[in-house]
């Protein structure tokens, strides 16, 4: 049996030392052995991202930079160095023999984990041009490399004109912190051979230039909206027959001062290849952590790239903090609930540092803005909080802390954040439960006007929060508080199963509210369903309204109106009684299409089961009619919680259909091709079902214990998950099934930790173990095999 003998840190060192390219001369050379996915012709006029933690660029796959985005209309593309924008984009024109071509209609687009490539064919000039770009880690700049190849047998003289479109402007909500946009002013720096642009009323700077001095330059009026300015850099290049040449452009900026921008510009020009190599090696470590091997190569590839996507979404603004953002291009700032889902997945794939940084950011800002334990919902990168928090975000923060603690085992981490949890749970029940029935009132995940009474997701996440908080209080030796929290958790679990359940619909209710609230919501829902041409929903809603009027109630009661995805959160949190859960899971299967689960079930139509085309969104950005990855992932988690891994895999397969659908290497927020082109909570939808449920890795790092309780889909006869980080340990699990025998192998990096393999007991089954010091027992219907050695192998035979 192959041993795991490398920690993730030593693995990083190995990759850094062994993965270096000897004297690399170009970006292309460094990208040769890197994973790559080519995009579709149909989606060349759709966005991509070149990601970095300080700076990123969004344009179209065809190489153009249209004005895109709705959060700040038309401004969410281009180059951003939060909390400011640097450029609307750039373009390159080629002139030869009196003909001019703009490189904005690429014939192919290739995405790499940390770079991009656009290829342009210019047959009338016998030229092929490739543009590649990447953003170095920790730098406020980007490298753009052009390679030109003369395909003819004739020497050529070519004129190239690079035009940079500066647009130094503040982020969304900038005006709240005194960031007011002003006209940009451009100046050509003869010594650098580059353009230097400054916002006239702010210390915001941009520099762009190439590795060779231009022969000509010209300032132009910007073709984009706003207060920007454009500048050209022109070159004459002699290109012999059948030869290639390259030139590299560096773009750098600063929201502080000119010196910082100049320092970044110089650094990138001098060190671009070593910076790319460093990033390449770091991404190899990301790939090697929680490395998945399964019979489905498509799912395997999607899981690998989701780990890269997670890194794309890190945003660092040193004056404020570092944390994961929700999505690109319209949510490139920090969110409470998006992080509370996503960070559970980040822990499972070993990206722990950013988990701790994001939690620190959310906690500090929430305490500064709210001060009562309430967790914020949305904050721009200038530090301005737009929404101080929806109700569900406070209990979900408590559960995030507990689950992170299970992975890191750090009691100081628990002590640091438990005061916020205590304050938050007190605020949750004291300020938001006016009738004192233990169900807080207010908005949860559903952003539907009027859905702010007693919501099912708020109730489910509140129950889990008290259950998790009781465990934390017990570890911190506050037995009185632990008992209080546990009592509340148990009461809430019973009440949710009794008061939210609808036998008529075989579903948990969307909410508990008054007849008046329900009838008003039904009126709005009928308009929505009628507008979307969903006649079945109109009929059902009208029937529900009739029943309410015929059987009025003076007391609040449960209502199933929208069939929102959140009705499945009691199964996601595993608090639904089994008989109710199985009925509800079957009901949920009605509200899907080939890509996943509808956000709002009444948006489904009778063709939903076979509708696998592009999502037809409205002209004004809206989630109406959407199928999304988060509801689909929640459903996968829920199915696994009730012992149905085949059903869970079905939901993962639906989401995997959307992988690379529009942007190669990514998965859209709205399936298959609408909304954000990369979304943080996608990793929750995959990592929790795969790492913690299929492979059953359940860490308890504080006790130096890892429980492995696998429940594999029947179609997976061979599967492996390697280098799953648990505190300073790492564990690998492999699974192989044949007609007569199933083998489960577990290796850990550090001996002395307790490895506990749990498998369902059964009749006519024989167990054989390999490895030193393996003990066998039985607990709660599971056969339990335990060792503190590095390896445990179990073979299960059917007699």
């Amino acid at each position: 049996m192959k041993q795991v003998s490398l920690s993730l840190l030593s693995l990083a060192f190995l990759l850094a030392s062994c993965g270096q390219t000897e004297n690399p001369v170009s970006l292309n050379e460094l990208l040769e052995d890197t994973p790559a996915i080519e995009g579709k012709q149909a989606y060349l006029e759709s966005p991509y991202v070149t990601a970095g933690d300080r700076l990123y660029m969004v344009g179209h796959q065809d190489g153009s930079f249209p004005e895109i985005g709705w959060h700040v209309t038309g401004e969410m593309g281009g180059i951003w160095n939060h909390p400011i924008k640097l450029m609307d984009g750039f373009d390159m024109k080629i002139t030869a023999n009196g003909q001019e071509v703009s490189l904005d209609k690429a014939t192919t687009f290739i995405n790499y984990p940390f770079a991009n490539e656009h290829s342009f064919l210019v047959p009338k000039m016998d030229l092929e041009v490739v543009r590649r770009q990447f953003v170095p880690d920790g730098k406020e700049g980007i490298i753009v490399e052009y390679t030109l190849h003369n395909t003819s047998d004739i020497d050529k003289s070519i004129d190239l004109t690079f035009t940079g479109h500066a647009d130094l402007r503040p982020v969304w909500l900038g005006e709240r912190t005194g960031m007011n946009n002003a006209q940009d002013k451009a100046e050509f720096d003869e010594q650098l051979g580059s353009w230097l642009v400054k916002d006239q009323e702010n210390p915001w700077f941009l520099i762009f230039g190439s590795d060779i001095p231009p022969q000509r330059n010209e300032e132009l009026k910007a073709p984009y909206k706003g207060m920007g300015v454009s500048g050209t850099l022109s070159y004459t290049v002699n290109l012999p027959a059948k030869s290639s040449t390259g030139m590299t452009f560096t773009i750098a900026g600063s929201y502080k001062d000119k010196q910082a921008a100049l320092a970044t510009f110089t650094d990138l020009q001098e060190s671009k290849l070593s910076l790319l190599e460093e990033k390449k090696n770091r991404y190899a470590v990301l790939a090697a952590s929680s490395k998945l091997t399964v019979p489905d190569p498509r799912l395997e590839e999607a899981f690998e790239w989701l780990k890269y996507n997670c890194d794309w979404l890190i945003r660092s603004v040193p004056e404020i903090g570092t944390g994961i953002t929700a999505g690109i291009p319209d949510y490139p700032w920090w969110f409470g609930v998006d992080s509370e889902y996503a960070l559970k997945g980040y822990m499972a794939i070993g990206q722990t540092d950013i988990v701790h940084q994001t939690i620190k950011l959310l906690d500090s800002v929430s305490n500064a803005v709210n001060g009562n334990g309430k967790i914020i919902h949305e904050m721009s990168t200038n530090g301005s909080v737009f929404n101080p928090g929806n109700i569900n975000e406070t209990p979900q923060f408590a559960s995030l802390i507990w689950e992170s603690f299970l992975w890191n085992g750090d009691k100081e981490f628990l002590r640091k954040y438990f005061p916020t949890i205590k304050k938050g749970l007190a605020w949750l029940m004291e300020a938001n439960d006016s009738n004192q029935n233990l169900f807080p009132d207010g908005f949860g995940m559903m952003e539907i006007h009027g859905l702010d009474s007693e919501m099912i997701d708020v109730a489910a996440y509140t129950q889990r929060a008290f259950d998790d908080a009781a465990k934390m209080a017990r570890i911190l030796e506050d037995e009185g508080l632990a008992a209080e929290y546990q009592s509340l958790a148990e009461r809430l679990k019973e009440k949710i199963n009794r008061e939210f359940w609808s036998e008529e619909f075989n579903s948990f209710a969307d909410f508990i509210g008054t007849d008046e609230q329900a009838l008003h919501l039904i009126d709005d829902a009928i308009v929505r369903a009628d507008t979307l041409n969903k006649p079945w929903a109109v009929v059902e809603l009208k029937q529900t309204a009739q029943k309410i009027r015929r059987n009025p109630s003076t007391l609040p009661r449960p209502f199933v109106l929208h069939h929102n995805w959140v009705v499945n959160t009691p199964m996601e949190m595993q608090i639904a009684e089994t008989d109710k859960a199985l009925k509800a899971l079957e009901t949920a299967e009605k509200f899907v299409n080939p890509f996943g689960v509808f956000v709002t079930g009444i948006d489904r139509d009778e063709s939903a089961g076979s509708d696998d085309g592009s999502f037809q969104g409205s002209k004004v950005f809206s989630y109406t009619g959407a199928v999304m990855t988060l509801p689909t992932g929640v459903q996968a988690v829920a199915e696994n919680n009730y012992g149905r891994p085949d059903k869970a895999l079905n939901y993962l397969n639906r989401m995997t259909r959307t992988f690379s659908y529009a942007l190669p290497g990514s998965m859209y927020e709205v399936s298959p091709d609408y909304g954000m082109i990369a979304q943080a909570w996608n990793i929750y939808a995959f990592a929790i079902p795969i790492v913690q449920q299929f492979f059953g890795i359940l860490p308890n790092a504080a006790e130096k214990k890892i429980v492995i309780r696998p429940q594999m889909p029947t179609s997976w006869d061979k599967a492996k998950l390697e280098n799953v980080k648990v505190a300073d340990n790492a564990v690998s699990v492999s699974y192989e099934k044949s007609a007569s025998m199933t083998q489960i192998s577990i290796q850990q990096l550090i001996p002395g930790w307790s490895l506990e393999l749990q498998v369902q007991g059964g009749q006519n089954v024989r167990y054989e173990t390999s490895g030193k010091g393996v003990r066998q027992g039985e607990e709660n219907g599971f056969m339990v095999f335990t060792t503190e050695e590095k390896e445990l192998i179990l073979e299960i035979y059917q007699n």
Side-chain angles (χ1 to χ4, degrees):
M1 183 60 59
K2 185 177 180 181
Q3 294 281 337
V4 176
S5 57
L6 295 174
S7 71
L8 295 179
L9 290 176
S10 61
L11 177 64
F13 175 79
L14 176 68
L15 289 166
S17 59
C18 297
Q20 292 180 350
T21 304
E22 185 177 350
N23 299 320
V25 296
S26 68
L27 271 64
N28 181 46
E29 199 171 316
L30 279 166
L31 293 172
E32 284 179 352
D33 59 348
T34 300
I37 302 178
E38 184 172 328
K40 301 174 182 176
Q41 292 290 312
Y43 283 92
L44 285 172
E45 294 182 14
S46 70
Y48 72 93
V49 61
T50 314
D53 56 342
R54 296 297 307 277
L55 177 146
Y56 65 88
M57 179 170 77
V58 173
H60 271 191
Q61 296 174 36
D62 62 9
S64 66
F65 289 93
E67 294 177 312
I68 64 173
W70 61 267
H71 227 123
V72 180
T73 304
E75 295 288 358
M76 302 309 293
I79 301 176
W80 280 88
N81 176 28
H82 283 273
I84 66 167
K85 186 175 187 177
L86 298 181
M87 302 181 81
D88 286 317
F90 55 82
D91 54 61
M92 175 73 85
K93 290 183 179 179
I94 301 177
T95 304
N97 301 324
Q99 296 180 313
E100 183 179 271
V101 174
S102 294
L103 298 182
D104 56 5
K105 291 180 175 58
T107 53
T108 60
F109 172 79
I110 296 175
N111 213 9
Y112 299 92
F114 47 84
N116 330 102
E117 178 178 303
H118 315 260
S119 295
F120 305 86
L121 297 179
V122 191
K124 60 184 177 181
M125 296 182 183
D126 296 315
L127 287 176
E128 294 175 358
V129 184
V130 178
R131 188 186 102 198
R132 302 179 182 91
Q133 61 256 340
F134 84 101
V135 177
D137 289 340
K139 304 295 184 181
E140 297 173 90
I142 183 171
I143 295 293
V144 181
E145 179 188 86
Y146 287 90
T147 302
L148 296 90
H149 179 63
N150 179 359
T151 62
S152 74
D153 297 321
I154 303 171
D155 296 348
K156 290 182 177 292
S157 177
I158 302 167
D159 290 329
L160 305 175
T161 299
F162 178 96
T163 305
H165 305 293
D167 185 13
L168 293 159
R169 58 155 294 133
V171 71
W172 179 61
L173 305 183
E175 68 283 356
R176 293 189 180 183
T177 55
M179 299 178 70
N180 297 304
N181 195 21
Q183 181 63 46
D184 295 341
K185 183 178 180 181
E187 175 187 348
F188 186 75
D189 187 308
E190 296 287 350
Q191 185 174 355
L192 288 174
S194 304
W195 282 102
L196 176 64
V197 185
K198 181 186 182 298
D199 180 287
Q200 291 193 66
E201 295 182 10
N202 296 282
W204 307 337
F205 290 87
L206 164 70
I207 304 173
F208 62 92
S210 76
D211 52 354
I212 57 176
Q215 279 92 22
R216 300 168 298 282
N217 65 81
E218 182 181 6
E219 181 178 333
L220 301 175
K221 182 180 179 181
Y224 294 86
K225 297 175 184 176
M227 300 183 183
V229 63
S230 300
T232 69
L233 300 167
S234 297
Y235 311 83
T236 298
V237 176
N238 294 315
L239 194 57
K242 301 294 185 181
S243 71
S244 298
T245 190
M247 60 191 313
T248 302
F249 290 85
T250 301
I251 299 167
S254 173
Y255 51 84
K256 284 185 172 182
D257 54 52
K258 177 180 177 181
Q259 287 69 33
L262 285 168
T264 300
F265 183 81
T266 302
D267 184 21
L268 266 60
Q269 281 202 322
E270 295 176 350
S271 307
K272 56 182 178 290
L273 294 180
S274 62
L275 290 169
L276 177 59
E277 193 161 24
E278 288 173 11
K279 189 159 189 171
K280 174 182 177 179
N281 290 333
R282 187 175 66 80
Y283 266 65
V285 176
L286 298 182
S289 301
S290 297
K291 179 176 172 57
L292 179 69
T293 307
V294 292
D296 182 351
R298 184 72 171 160
L299 177 61
E300 185 179 309
E301 183 182 43
F303 187 69
E304 177 184 338
W305 277 79
L306 283 173
K307 291 185 284 185
Y308 306 144
N309 293 178
C310 285
D311 196 74
W312 298 354
L313 293 164
I314 295 172
R315 186 69 48 243
S316 182
V317 181
E319 296 78 11
I320 297 173
T322 298
I324 66 165
T325 56
I328 294 171
D330 276 287
Y331 298 119
W333 36 75
W334 302 298
F335 285 75
V337 73
D338 298 67
S339 299
E340 289 160 350
Y341 285 110
L343 294 178
K344 295 177 184 179
Y346 275 72
M347 290 300 286
I349 59 172
Q351 296 184 25
T352 55
D353 287 347
I354 190 58
V355 174
H356 298 149
Q357 291 171 309
T358 307
I359 288 172
K360 178 182 177 181
L361 177 62
L362 291 175
D363 179 72
S364 62
V365 174
S366 296
N367 279 308
V369 171
N370 296 322
N372 56 4
K374 178 182 179 180
I375 302 301
I376 64 164
H377 175 64
E378 183 176 10
M379 176 177 67
S380 188
T381 52
N382 64 335
S384 181
V385 173
F386 176 70
N387 179 343
N390 295 328
I391 302 298
N392 60 300
E393 283 160 303
T394 295
Q396 286 185 262
F397 183 78
S399 293
L400 170 64
I401 297 303
W402 171 246
E403 294 193 34
S404 298
F405 170 72
L406 290 174
W407 286 97
N408 65 34
D410 184 355
K411 290 186 180 179
E412 290 306 312
F413 171 86
L414 214 56
R415 289 189 183 97
K416 179 177 181 179
Y417 296 111
F418 196 63
T420 298
I421 292 168
K422 286 198 296 185
K423 287 191 297 183
L425 293 179
W427 167 81
L428 184 67
M429 306 310 289
E430 293 169 8
N432 301 282
D433 184 20
S434 57
N435 61 2
Q436 297 186 332
N437 69 345
L438 301 186
F439 297 144
D441 300 279
F443 283 106
M445 286 298 295
M446 296 308 304
E447 296 178 342
I448 294 177
H449 181 71
L451 271 182
D452 58 350
S453 54
E454 294 173 351
M455 306 304 302
I456 182 59
D457 55 324
V458 173
Y461 293 137
T462 297
Q463 190 281 335
R464 171 58 70 86
F466 278 113
D467 191 62
D468 291 339
K471 298 168 188 171
M472 290 184 271
R474 197 165 292 117
I475 288 172
L476 297 175
E477 300 178 349
D478 191 336
E479 292 295 337
L481 188 59
E484 176 188 336
Y485 284 166
Q486 193 60 51
S487 174
L488 283 169
E490 290 170 1
R491 291 168 61 194
L492 270 165
K493 183 175 181 178
E494 186 277 329
K495 283 173 65 67
I496 289 170
N497 278 282
R498 174 166 47 86
E499 297 182 30
F500 267 97
W501 180 252
S502 170
E503 196 66 37
E504 177 186 0
F505 288 97
N506 278 331
S507 170
F508 286 93
D510 292 296
F511 68 97
I512 291 176
T514 65
D515 287 4
E516 182 182 2
Q517 287 174 313
L519 290 169
H520 180 72
L521 285 164
I522 287 172
D523 288 342
D524 290 345
I526 288 173
V527 172
R528 173 181 179 140
D530 190 49
T531 301
L532 293 174
N533 191 27
K534 314 297 180 187
W536 73 268
V538 173
V539 171
E540 181 181 286
L541 288 162
K542 287 181 176 179
Q543 289 173 346
T544 300
Q546 287 179 347
K547 291 175 184 176
I548 294 171
R549 292 188 176 100
R550 289 172 183 169
N551 302 281
S553 173
T554 58
L555 298 175
R557 52 178 168 168
F559 294 100
V560 177
L561 300 184
H562 298 90
H563 300 286
N564 290 318
W565 70 268
V566 294
V567 300
N568 300 306
T569 54
M571 286 78 74
E572 177 203 14
M573 294 293 100
Q574 207 169 356
I575 60 178
E577 296 167 354
T578 301
D579 61 332
K580 292 183 171 69
L582 295 178
K583 291 177 182 177
L585 292 172
E586 292 298 321
T587 299
E589 292 182 18
K590 301 176 184 177
F591 303 104
V592 302
N593 78 2
F595 301 118
V597 176
F598 280 87
V599 174
T600 296
I602 61 170
D603 294 346
R604 174 193 63 84
D605 60 34
E606 297 305 324
S607 67
S610 59
D611 180 11
D612 59 357
S614 173
F615 178 77
Q616 301 300 315
S618 58
K619 291 182 179 179
V620 177
F621 187 84
S622 169
Y623 291 113
T624 301
V627 166
M628 293 176 70
T629 50
L630 178 62
T632 311
V634 163
Q635 209 61 22
V637 171
E639 291 284 7
N640 270 328
N641 281 338
Y642 292 88
R644 295 162 33 127
D646 288 345
K647 297 278 191 179
L649 181 60
N650 178 276
Y651 285 109
L652 291 187
N653 287 336
R654 289 173 190 268
M655 288 187 288
T656 302
R657 289 189 184 109
T658 75
F659 174 67
S660 293
Y661 193 98
L663 173 60
S666 189
M667 191 174 293
Y668 269 60
E669 170 199 23
V670 177
S671 304
D673 58 358
Y674 188 73
M676 303 308 103
I677 64 175
Q679 183 76 18
W681 58 37
N682 291 348
I683 196 61
Y684 173 81
F686 277 75
I688 302 305
I690 291 172
V691 177
Q692 297 199 266
Q693 294 181 313
F694 293 160
F695 285 90
I697 298 176
L698 307 173
N700 187 345
E703 296 184 10
K704 295 188 181 300
K705 178 179 179 179
I706 304 172
V707 172
I708 312 294
R709 190 187 299 157
Q711 55 168 359
M712 289 292 177
T714 55
S715 61
W716 286 9
D717 55 5
K718 194 173 184 179
K720 183 166 57 176
L721 188 65
E722 302 171 271
N723 299 317
V724 179
K725 183 178 179 181
V726 183
D728 58 350
N729 203 351
V731 64
S732 297
V733 180
S734 64
Y735 171 93
E736 191 165 351
K737 178 183 66 175
S738 66
S740 59
M741 187 264 286
T742 299
Q743 184 187 76
I744 302 169
S745 302
I746 307 169
Q747 299 88 35
Q748 65 174 333
L749 173 69
I750 303 174
W753 282 52
S754 175
L755 286 180
E756 185 176 294
L757 173 59
Q758 300 181 0
V759 296
Q760 285 283 357
Q763 296 181 341
N764 301 318
V765 176
R766 177 167 54 90
Y767 303 96
E768 293 184 6
T769 61
S770 301
K772 298 178 182 178
V774 178
R775 303 180 299 281
Q776 181 174 336
E778 190 171 353
E779 182 180 332
N780 299 324
F782 287 92
M783 297 301 297
V784 180
F785 304 87
T786 307
T787 187
E788 284 74 40
E789 300 297 329
K790 275 194 170 184
E791 184 174 62
L792 190 161
I793 301 175
L794 174 67
E795 294 178 349
I796 307 170
Y797 295 89
Q798 292 293 140
N799 292 329

